[in-house]
Amino acid sequence: AQKITQTQPGMFVQEKEAVTLDCTYDTSDPSYGLFWYKQPSSGEMIFLIYQGSYDQQNATEGRYSLNFQKARKSANLVISASQLGDSAMYFCAMRGPFDRGSTLGRLYFGRGTQLTVWP
Amino acid sequence: NAGVTQTPKFRILKIGQSMTLQCTQDMNHNYMYWYRQDPGMGLKLIYYSVGAGITDKGEVPNGYNVSRSTTEDFPLRLELAAPSQTSVYFCASSYEAGTVSGELFFGEGSRLTVL
């Protein structure tokens, strides 16, 4: 079974500060992918960053970086220099390899962390 | 560039009614998905499709049906609506070619209320 855990229901950060959103996962597959999505109050799902299980380096996309610790099965999202517009729900998700019948096409989501950025 | 388009955005149904949520994508993606999101929860997979003519159940398929007659369209059918189906529904698509990676592109969501 695959599982994604986000233990922080809510996080608060002051504008221009960095914040880390935690995500741990559980899988027995050696090949998997980890995603982070942002969902603002308007409701749409916005892709932020991706990390493959065989990637040697942590993924980065602008102010977003993924702190990937494979042995600990964690994939924390780091947002540097927070902005007011970063206030949103953030979801961590994991998908297994597409050549495995039981996980074919499935993307498992955590319950999300509500981030609030204050001035 | 339309991406993934879902209709309707909002709908109120009475218990026992049926309806179809439409989803179309113009990116020539082979994989398409339907998720539901309940308040305060993450997304749960209802059905997915790896190509035209091929569909499979996700985590919560009961009460729903899908079809995939074309690459572009992936409608979700609700038969005999129940209050438990009150949720926000997301359609998504991705292009996969035997790799693990594959960003999902989401529609804007459809908010369904069953009274």
Side-chain angles (χ1 to χ4, degrees), chain A residues 31-33 35 37 39 42-47 50 89 91 95-98 101-112, chain B residues 31 33 35 37 40-45 48 50 56-59 90 94 96 98-109:
Chain A
S31 179
Y32 50 90
F35 301 77
Y37 282 85
Q39 187 178 43
S42 52
E44 71 268 31
M45 296 288 286
I46 302 168
F47 168 73
Y50 166 80
M89 181 71 84
F91 290 99
R95 184 162 61 194
F98 283 91
S102 64
T103 60
L104 187 66
R106 295 189 185 190
L107 190 67
Y108 293 86
F109 283 82
R111 296 183 65 165
Chain B
Y31 281 66
Y33 312 80
Y35 286 89
Q37 183 181 26
M41 304 292 286
L43 279 69
K44 292 188 176 179
L45 183 65
Y48 66 95
V50 302
D56 205 352
K57 296 177 181 179
E59 302 169 83
F90 287 95
S94 65
E96 309 300 337
T99 63
V100 175
S101 66
E103 168 194 351
L104 263 66
F105 291 79
F106 284 86
E108 295 183 342

Side-chain angles (χ1 to χ4, degrees), chain A residues 24-38:
Chain A
T24 58
Y25 59 92
D26 183 23
T27 181
S28 56
D29 290 319
S31 179
Y32 50 90
L34 296 157
F35 301 77
W36 278 92
Y37 282 85
K38 172 184 177 181

Side-chain angles (χ1 to χ4, degrees), chain B:
Chain B
N1 190 3
V4 179
T5 303
Q6 288 180 236
T7 57
K9 288 187 168 51
F10 301 94
R11 182 72 186 268
I12 298 175
L13 282 180
K14 294 182 179 178
I15 294 172
Q17 286 185 321
S18 299
M19 74 160 296
T20 299
L21 296 175
Q22 302 290 344
C23 176
T24 187
Q25 52 92 9
D26 62 359
M27 297 173 283
N28 201 32
H29 286 171
N30 49 352
Y31 281 66
M32 295 189 75
Y33 312 80
W34 274 106
Y35 286 89
R36 61 177 285 174
Q37 183 181 26
D38 298 326
M41 304 292 286
L43 279 69
K44 292 188 176 179
L45 183 65
I46 305 171
Y47 270 95
Y48 66 95
S49 169
V50 302
I54 305 170
T55 63
D56 205 352
K57 296 177 181 179
E59 302 169 83
V60 289
N62 292 342
Y64 307 95
N65 279 299
V66 294
S67 60
R68 184 96 181 270
S69 57
T70 66
T71 299
E72 295 78 20
D73 301 309
F74 191 43
L76 178 71
R77 177 82 177 163
L78 280 75
E79 303 282 1
L80 299 175
S84 61
Q85 293 179 304
T86 293
S87 190
V88 178
Y89 292 82
F90 287 95
C91 180
S93 71
S94 65
Y95 179 75
E96 309 300 337
T99 63
V100 175
S101 66
E103 168 194 351
L104 263 66
F105 291 79
F106 284 86
E108 295 183 342
S110 299
R111 185 176 297 274
L112 175 67
T113 302
V114 182
L115 301 174

Side-chain angles (χ1 to χ4, degrees), chain A residues 75-95:
Chain A
N76 298 338
L77 177 70
V78 180
I79 305 175
S80 62
S82 298
Q83 301 172 356
L84 296 178
D86 293 335
S87 293
M89 181 71 84
Y90 289 80
F91 290 99
C92 179
M94 176 178 68
R95 184 162 61 194

